Amino acid sequence: MFTLAQARHLVATLRPRVDELIRLRADLAELRADLARHGTSPLGGRAEVKGLEARLHAVVDELHQHDIQIKGIAPVLLDFPGERDGRPVLWCWLEGDTDVRWYHRVECGFAGRRPV
């Protein structure tokens, strides 16, 4: 369980890793598109695809080790289990947000997001 302050601190602390995840995701998408269209890419070949996939999975695994729920990587959507007013909630961080500014009740999902 995370307090809002803990979720915000963890997002700030892990921001370099999340930024790396975003870079890896973009490189992997570009490399796959080049290979599918042209059979070659300035970013490399099949070996580089496997390397990028491994690095991406390593970052995801590292985030999971902090008990963060990763709901998506395109865009990156992170949830932090917590409690608000005695109810279980998920504090939400969405790629592009500067801070954890949203939450939703566990049973409501993303559609139930509300500002903190």
Side-chain angles (χ1 to χ4, degrees), residues 31 34-35 39-49:
L31 177 55
D34 285 350
L35 293 176
T40 63
S41 172
L43 295 173
R46 298 280 177 227
E48 285 73 22
V49 167

Side-chain angles (χ1 to χ4, degrees), residues 82-97:
E83 188 175 279
R84 180 180 170 113
D85 300 328
R87 291 185 169 202
V89 298
L90 295 169
W91 307 111
C92 300
W93 181 85
L94 180 63
E95 183 178 330
D97 288 348

